[in-house]
Amino acid sequence: MIKLAVKRPVSCIVLLFVLTFLFFFGMKNLRMEPSSEALMPKHVEEYRYNMRMKKVFGDSKLYLLSLIETRAGELLTHENFVELNEIVEEIEEFHTFDYEAENKRLSTLISLGSAGYNETESHRIEAVSQELSEEDIEALLTGESVNNAVLENDYFDVFAIDQPIPEDLYVKPLRGKRNYSLEHYTPVKCSDLEESFDAAGRRQLNTILKRLDLDAVQGSYIFQKEEYSRLLEEFENAYLYKSMEAVKGFMNPISGEDIVGTADSLTPVDLVETDDSGQRLLPENAADFTVYKKKLSANPSFEDTVFTRDENDRITALAMNIQLQVIEDSSYIMNYFMDVFNKHNAGNLEYTPVGVPVFEYYIQNYMKQDMKKFMPLVILVVIITFLLNFKTARGVLLPTLSILLSIIWTMGLMGYLGIPLTMVVNIMPTILVAVGSSYSIHIFNQYLHDLEIIRNTDKKGLVSSMTHISVTVLLASLTTFIGFSTLGFSQVISLKHFGIFSAIGTIFAMLISSLLIPAVLSLSKIPRENTHKERKTGILQKMLIKTGRFTLNRSVPIVAVSAIILLVSAVGVSRINIESAPTSNFKDDSYVVQADQKVSQALKGSIPINLIIDTGRAGGVKNPEFLKKLDELAGWIVSGDNTQRYSLLKSYTFCDIIKRMNKAMNEEEAVNYSIPDDPATIEDYLMLYSGEDRDSDGLPDTMERFTDPQYRVANIFIKTGYYDGQAYSSKRLLQAVDALEDHLAEDPYFSSLRYQVTGQTLNYAVLSKLIARGQMITIILTLIIISVIISVLFRDFKAALVSLIPISSSILLVFGIMGFLKIPLDTTKSIIAAVTIGIGIDDTVHMLKTIRFYLSQGLDLNTAILESYKEAGKAIVYTSVALVCGFVVLMFSQFKALFYLGLLVAMNMVTTTVAALIVLPAAVWILKINFNIKNDTLKLTEPVLKGE
């Protein structure tokens, strides 16, 4: 390969850039994926339970909770409710699809801009007719609510996790996305849109303009073609999500439903009623709000759900709960809702949304910010390192270009293969910069080291020099490849992707560096003689020589002190806590952490989990005995001990609905907020209840979160979160799951039934188990493989054992520090070992190979070690500086997890370098390792190059 690069440099350079051009287009397919589903292996039991639960009870991941407080004055005022009604109405447009109004709105925008598109409405209606009845199609044309899913009359067994995940799990829009043409674009004024739209359209326009950073636009402003295109795309996206009726449930202080009972009916009524025209009759005075507060107090389940109050019975805050449909990609609607909240936060009311969708919203935004921030910073740091090391233009440009090409190749390949960018995968470019800079530094340092020989022998000397270092680079890349590849055995999907593509990127970096740098150097003029002489003198070189002498003179104390440090570190390792809660990714002063703590304290939890129980027969959930046992269980779950130990803060069940019905049918007396004893009474209540059934499955929408259409399976919706100064953690959640399962197993009634704790939040917790298991596999497997490679390479078992000293001691030291400082091991930090082994082994290989090379030239061990400091020491130091600086960049991340990752890996790189330069040579000297030089054939392939 080296000969090819030197003899046919132009061909190699052209080939590299053609491949780069092809890979570049693959990068356009890259997409960010903040969801935990990108992490979870699909065969894990918890994942499959959660996916099947979504079919019946909805997706608990897509549960959004917002606290509503006043910035000044009283909360319950007419002005505040006018403001609150605005946001409620905007969100309700995603709950009830108005076909006629939405089509008119979109058509107006299309007409004003003279946009065109190929699809026709009739074509799309025919396309969905396979899933819709004739009545539904008629409802579609008249603007009434429709059912988006294929209805199933058969019982769906949530517990049958061996069955395939339902193909119709996700709700689909009523038509496909249009591709608009602006060939005949007519400039559109903002005022034209405002005048043409109704009030809801103008409200949507304001939100979308804010999304597009055009919120200052108004009046006579004329949209540029590109701005109009983005505006049209946003309206198109909003239309599609509205057609899904993406908001499945919406409990809020305005349109939230309660139940009113009469002699022969149970009717759902909004908390704030409407007049005949559909306008909200918002409370206006103290008397109105007194009536309103009575409505809130009439339903005990509303407290800590729709409102909170203090010890003086004063309402201190309101709340809204949004449950989205099971949507395959919820990122758009989540981004839209966050923009709605941000827009309305400019008023007197303060909205604080939390929940897994909010976590993922900020993860996605922070990932974008980090991507923009990391690459320029890390490239700048590496360029400075190259400049300080090589002090020449090509010494900076060639290594930098090699790094950029390897990143494009790797990211482009990921794009072609559809690999998503998760928070872990997102840092891979930084890793590739570190790896690529290491190889480039080794290659270019060797070139400068052998410059005098190259000057005298021209291309022959260049081939010899590059061949000499290429063996080191090849071995380093091989061990790095293995280090990263072992992550491919992880069950955590994003870790698997990170490991596989970091390994591939390592090979790309090695190939590009080994081809591009020699090829360009062969076309370049050889520097003047004084350049190399100036490089021979320097503080670093003198310090390395002194370090070598110090190491050889004090080798035994060095090894002894190192052993003591590692023993202490082992104690710290035993204290490591594994954490995978989504909030653990964020800094303590971030919005996510602060908001979660605030809302969780105010509304008794912010993060949902589910306990599903199968009664074993249709109608079993309606049985009074079961309901009373279920109500007792729900109360036990949030009892004092469980709240204190596990942060189980609030529970909701089907019992709450039945108790509310019983209270409504018995003159609203508090004593009747209970489960009736007579099964016939419960049956009557359900027959009398006239709640809306939008999906026509026979079960009112308000009950769908708590039972299935056959009334066979019950779901306890449990809220957990920050409590009493303790943050939500995956460890506590797993302990809570164990406590719940133990309690059910010991209960005479429930022990005979099927039950399962599930939900998206549990998926996060399960990741901690997978992380722990994967971490051990990664470390053990990598160390074994690398020791075998070193043993075969040097044909010396002692050399293989010694080679593990720098990386294993570094890992043990840093993990020990994590344990003592209570820094949790999470998904992101679980790559520390692989990165340390994969990159850190380079210094070890370089030092051992150089010692072996000088031994093969007839030098004694003492002299060989000292000469190795001169040749390999400088490259090791500069490589380590580049690595440390590159990883320190991660400390500028918005994520706490990445901050610690950057800090800890930088510490690892420093520790590995110190161990490679001090502990490793000391161990080689003590053990008198000679690498079986007598049988060595390395002289035949590696020419003697002039040392310094």
Side-chain angles (χ1 to χ4, degrees):
M1 184 168 65
I2 296 297
K3 289 182 179 179
L4 177 66
V6 174
K7 291 183 178 180
R8 299 181 180 273
V10 175
S11 299
C12 286
I13 294 172
V14 171
L15 176 62
L16 289 174
F17 280 93
V18 168
L19 291 173
T20 301
F21 180 78
L22 295 175
F23 280 120
F24 178 79
F25 283 98
M27 294 176 64
K28 295 182 179 180
N29 300 325
L30 291 172
R31 60 180 178 85
M32 291 189 172
E33 176 53 74
S35 172
S36 67
E37 291 184 8
L39 308 178
M40 287 292 292
K42 304 303 182 278
H43 66 277
V44 173
E45 184 178 280
E46 290 81 1
Y47 173 83
R48 299 192 67 82
Y49 270 119
N50 184 49
M51 294 301 289
R52 293 189 69 80
M53 183 201 69
K54 290 180 183 182
K55 175 71 176 175
V56 179
F57 301 112
D59 192 347
S60 61
K61 181 191 81 169
L62 301 179
Y63 171 70
L64 179 65
L65 177 64
S66 179
L67 189 68
I68 307 167
E69 300 171 292
T70 181
R71 298 182 190 276
E74 287 293 324
L75 174 63
L76 301 183
T77 66
H78 178 72
E79 291 74 19
N80 285 341
F81 267 56
V82 169
E83 188 178 322
L84 178 58
N85 189 53
E86 281 286 311
I87 191 171
V88 168
E89 287 185 348
E90 188 161 4
I91 293 174
E92 280 186 327
E93 291 183 6
F94 290 86
H95 180 57
T96 303
F97 181 51
D98 189 333
Y99 180 84
E100 183 177 348
E102 294 297 339
N103 271 283
K104 181 179 179 181
R105 198 176 298 163
L106 187 57
S107 298
T108 297
L109 180 60
I110 293 170
S111 176
L112 286 173
S114 301
Y117 59 92
N118 295 325
E119 288 183 328
T120 63
E121 290 298 312
S122 60
H123 171 75
R124 280 305 172 184
I125 291 176
E126 290 173 5
V128 300
S129 64
Q130 296 177 357
E131 297 185 357
L132 300 176
S133 66
E134 293 182 3
E135 292 79 7
D136 283 339
I137 295 177
E138 179 65 26
L140 172 64
L141 296 174
T142 58
E144 297 177 6
S145 175
V146 298
N147 171 31
N148 290 327
V150 179
L151 304 181
E152 291 184 356
N153 295 318
D154 297 332
Y155 165 65
F156 181 84
D157 190 356
V158 179
F159 294 84
I161 60 173
D162 56 327
Q163 298 296 316
I165 295 172
E167 294 182 0
D168 61 343
L169 176 64
Y170 299 106
V171 176
K172 305 294 183 182
L174 292 181
R175 62 166 174 79
K177 187 173 182 178
R178 293 171 175 167
N179 295 316
Y180 290 97
S181 170
L182 300 182
E183 183 179 355
H184 304 291
Y185 172 62
T186 301
V188 178
K189 288 183 180 180
C190 185
S191 57
D192 292 339
L193 288 177
E194 292 172 341
E195 292 171 4
S196 302
F197 285 155
D198 57 4
R202 287 191 292 273
R203 186 169 53 216
Q204 181 176 329
L205 175 64
N206 291 335
T207 300
I208 290 176
L209 288 177
K210 185 175 182 64
R211 282 178 57 76
L212 301 177
D213 294 325
L214 295 172
D215 44 320
V217 166
Q218 57 183 340
S220 60
Y221 180 85
I222 299 176
F223 293 103
Q224 300 297 315
K225 185 176 181 178
E226 186 272 336
E227 292 173 339
Y228 173 82
S229 175
R230 292 163 59 203
L231 187 67
L232 183 57
E233 183 178 7
E234 288 293 329
F235 268 85
E236 171 73 7
N237 287 333
Y239 178 94
L240 295 177
Y241 277 86
K242 289 179 181 181
S243 76
M244 296 182 199
E245 297 188 336
V247 174
K248 183 179 180 66
F250 186 27
M251 175 57 70
N252 63 82
I254 300 288
S255 63
E257 289 185 353
D258 193 16
I259 300 173
V260 172
T262 63
D264 58 357
S265 70
L266 278 166
T267 307
V269 293
D270 291 353
L271 287 171
V272 177
E273 297 177 5
T274 60
D275 60 20
D276 293 338
S277 66
Q279 294 297 312
R280 295 284 176 195
L281 300 173
L282 299 175
E284 294 188 1
N285 50 46
D288 290 342
F289 278 107
T290 298
V291 173
Y292 177 77
K293 286 189 284 187
K294 287 182 178 179
K295 289 183 179 180
L296 291 180
S297 300
N299 191 336
S301 67
F302 283 169
E303 187 163 4
D304 302 320
T305 304
V306 180
F307 74 98
T308 64
R309 54 185 166 190
D310 58 21
E311 61 276 5
N312 298 320
D313 204 33
R314 174 176 170 270
I315 293 179
T316 55
L318 299 172
M320 60 174 64
N321 302 255
I322 304 172
Q323 177 66 58
L324 298 182
Q325 297 273 18
V326 183
I327 304 172
E328 191 165 14
D329 182 5
S330 60
S331 59
Y332 174 81
I333 191 171
M334 191 59 241
N335 291 343
Y336 188 95
F337 284 171
M338 289 301 291
D339 288 330
V340 170
F341 283 121
N342 291 334
K343 179 181 71 173
H344 287 277
N345 260 331
N348 189 50
L349 292 179
E350 180 182 4
Y351 301 89
T352 309
V354 297
V356 175
V358 178
F359 299 155
E360 295 182 353
Y361 168 83
Y362 278 96
I363 287 174
Q364 186 173 43
N365 285 349
Y366 286 176
M367 283 169 59
K368 291 178 181 177
Q369 294 176 28
D370 283 353
M371 180 70 82
K372 294 177 181 177
K373 186 189 304 180
F374 287 164
M375 284 307 298
L377 276 177
V378 76
I379 291 294
L380 177 62
V381 166
V382 169
I383 286 175
I384 293 173
T385 305
F386 291 153
L387 187 61
L388 292 174
N389 186 10
F390 303 127
K391 300 181 177 65
T392 63
R394 57 181 170 177
V396 173
L397 293 176
L398 289 180
T400 303
L401 189 59
S402 299
I403 291 170
L404 292 176
L405 263 58
S406 65
I407 292 173
I408 292 172
W409 284 28
T410 307
M411 303 302 283
L413 180 61
M414 288 176 57
Y416 282 126
L417 297 178
I419 304 299
L421 291 175
T422 61
M423 190 168 69
V424 177
V425 177
N426 199 44
I427 65 173
M428 193 170 63
T430 304
I431 302 294
L432 294 179
V433 169
V435 171
S437 64
S438 173
Y439 301 154
S440 298
I441 287 174
H442 282 307
I443 292 173
F444 212 84
N445 254 328
Q446 189 68 45
Y447 169 75
L448 295 177
H449 181 272
D450 301 327
L451 196 54
E452 191 172 333
I453 294 177
I454 295 171
R455 186 179 292 110
N456 295 330
T457 57
D458 197 23
K459 289 189 177 182
K460 183 178 179 181
L462 180 62
V463 170
S464 297
S465 176
M466 296 295 97
T467 302
H468 173 75
I469 194 60
S470 67
V471 177
T472 299
V473 172
L474 178 62
L475 291 175
S477 65
L478 177 61
T479 51
T480 302
F481 176 86
I482 292 170
F484 286 136
S485 294
T486 54
L487 284 174
F489 292 97
S490 174
Q491 293 190 65
V492 181
I493 301 300
S494 66
L495 291 181
K496 185 189 296 287
H497 288 161
F498 173 84
I500 292 172
F501 286 94
S502 293
I504 293 173
T506 296
I507 299 301
F508 284 163
M510 182 272 295
L511 289 173
I512 293 170
S513 298
S514 300
L515 285 174
L516 182 63
I517 295 177
V520 175
L521 290 177
S522 71
L523 296 173
S524 306
K525 291 183 179 180
I526 300 175
R528 293 191 301 273
E529 187 173 353
N530 65 340
T531 301
H532 183 50
K533 288 182 178 179
E534 289 173 0
R535 285 180 49 82
K536 288 185 178 181
T537 60
I539 296 176
L540 178 58
Q541 193 79 332
K542 293 177 182 178
M543 290 178 62
L544 287 169
I545 294 172
K546 288 181 180 180
T547 300
R549 290 170 180 164
F550 172 83
T551 300
L552 292 176
N553 292 333
R554 294 172 176 80
S555 56
V556 174
I558 286 172
V559 172
V561 171
S562 300
I564 293 172
I565 293 174
L566 295 181
L567 286 174
V568 174
S569 299
V571 177
V573 172
S574 65
R575 300 181 180 182
I576 284 183
N577 177 41
I578 300 175
E579 184 56 72
S580 56
T583 50
S584 66
N585 291 316
F586 300 94
K587 297 177 181 178
D588 293 341
D589 61 350
S590 67
Y591 169 84
V592 171
V593 173
Q594 294 294 314
D596 185 67
Q597 292 179 2
K598 177 182 179 180
V599 175
S600 186
Q601 290 181 98
L603 299 175
K604 293 187 178 179
S606 59
I607 302 172
I609 58 174
N610 304 81
L611 171 58
I612 52 177
I613 302 173
D614 182 10
T615 64
R617 62 185 179 85
V621 171
K622 296 184 285 187
N623 182 281
E625 182 185 9
F626 174 78
L627 286 173
K628 290 181 179 182
K629 290 290 185 181
L630 187 68
D631 199 34
E632 289 177 9
L633 176 61
W636 175 84
I637 289 173
V638 295
S639 61
D641 287 346
N642 290 331
T643 296
Q644 291 289 338
R645 293 178 183 175
Y646 313 120
S647 298
L648 301 177
L649 307 176
K650 187 79 174 178
S651 63
Y652 306 89
T653 69
F654 184 64
C655 302
D656 299 323
I657 297 174
I658 298 299
K659 289 191 293 184
R660 179 67 187 108
M661 289 179 172
N662 195 50
K663 184 171 182 280
M665 293 296 286
N666 289 276
E667 300 180 353
E668 292 291 350
E669 294 181 357
V671 69
N672 291 313
Y673 189 73
S674 60
I675 305 294
D677 294 325
D678 187 358
T681 302
I682 295 175
E683 289 285 359
D684 289 343
Y685 287 168
L686 295 176
M687 288 290 292
L688 291 173
Y689 184 63
S690 58
E692 189 175 22
D693 181 12
R694 298 159 66 87
D695 55 8
S696 305
D697 63 353
L699 184 69
D701 296 340
T702 54
M703 302 179 186
E704 287 186 345
R705 187 193 290 186
F706 306 115
T707 188
D708 61 334
Q710 288 75 32
Y711 293 95
R712 170 172 171 165
V713 181
N715 173 37
I716 302 180
F717 187 86
I718 307 167
K719 287 200 300 183
T720 182
Y722 181 88
Y723 176 76
D724 195 24
Q726 296 191 64
Y728 154 76
S729 72
S730 55
K731 181 179 180 180
R732 298 186 83 193
L733 180 57
L734 290 174
Q735 291 173 341
V737 171
D738 290 340
L740 288 172
E741 292 179 344
D742 290 345
H743 179 81
L744 291 169
E746 295 170 3
D747 187 286
Y749 186 85
F750 290 108
S751 60
S752 61
L753 305 180
R754 293 191 297 175
Y755 51 83
Q756 180 67 37
V757 181
T758 184
Q760 187 73 13
T761 309
L762 186 60
N763 284 355
Y764 282 111
V766 170
L767 284 174
S768 62
K769 295 181 180 180
L770 302 179
I771 289 169
R773 192 181 308 152
Q775 189 77 150
M776 293 303 299
I777 293 174
T778 296
I779 294 175
I780 294 173
L781 186 61
T782 306
L783 292 178
I784 290 175
I785 294 175
I786 287 178
S787 62
V788 170
I789 291 176
I790 298 296
S791 180
V792 172
L793 173 67
F794 294 115
R795 293 187 289 280
D796 192 318
F797 182 70
K798 288 191 295 182
L801 294 179
V802 167
S803 70
L804 301 181
I805 291 176
I807 50 178
S808 56
S809 59
S810 176
I811 292 172
L812 193 59
L813 178 62
V814 170
F815 277 13
I817 291 173
M818 289 176 62
F820 285 123
L821 298 182
K822 297 181 179 180
I823 300 173
L825 178 65
D826 52 32
T827 306
T828 304
K829 292 193 282 290
S830 65
I831 69 172
I832 288 176
V835 171
T836 301
I837 296 172
I839 298 178
I841 193 65
D842 294 3
D843 293 342
T844 300
V845 170
H846 198 180
M847 179 58 83
L848 288 178
K849 183 177 172 297
T850 307
I851 294 172
R852 178 175 179 262
F853 172 73
Y854 281 115
L855 285 174
S856 71
Q857 305 309 305
L859 300 182
D860 60 79
L861 184 58
N862 181 84
T863 307
I865 292 175
L866 290 176
E867 288 299 317
S868 297
Y869 275 95
K870 296 178 184 179
E871 180 177 334
K874 186 180 293 185
I876 289 174
V877 170
Y878 276 114
T879 297
S880 299
V881 169
L883 291 171
V884 170
C885 293
F887 284 110
V888 164
V889 168
L890 294 177
M891 295 176 65
F892 292 94
S893 172
Q894 301 271 13
F895 295 108
K896 181 169 70 173
L898 290 186
F899 170 86
Y900 279 119
L901 176 68
L903 174 64
L904 295 171
V905 174
M907 290 173 57
N908 258 335
M909 293 299 102
V910 172
T911 307
T912 302
T913 300
V914 171
L917 290 176
I918 297 178
V919 182
L920 178 67
V924 170
W925 174 250
I926 291 173
L927 296 176
K928 298 295 185 275
I929 298 174
N930 62 5
F931 304 97
N932 292 315
I933 291 301
K934 293 180 181 180
N935 299 320
D936 187 64
T937 58
L938 197 60
K939 290 183 183 179
L940 299 177
T941 59
E942 292 190 326
V944 178
L945 299 178
K946 184 175 180 179
E948 297 191 42

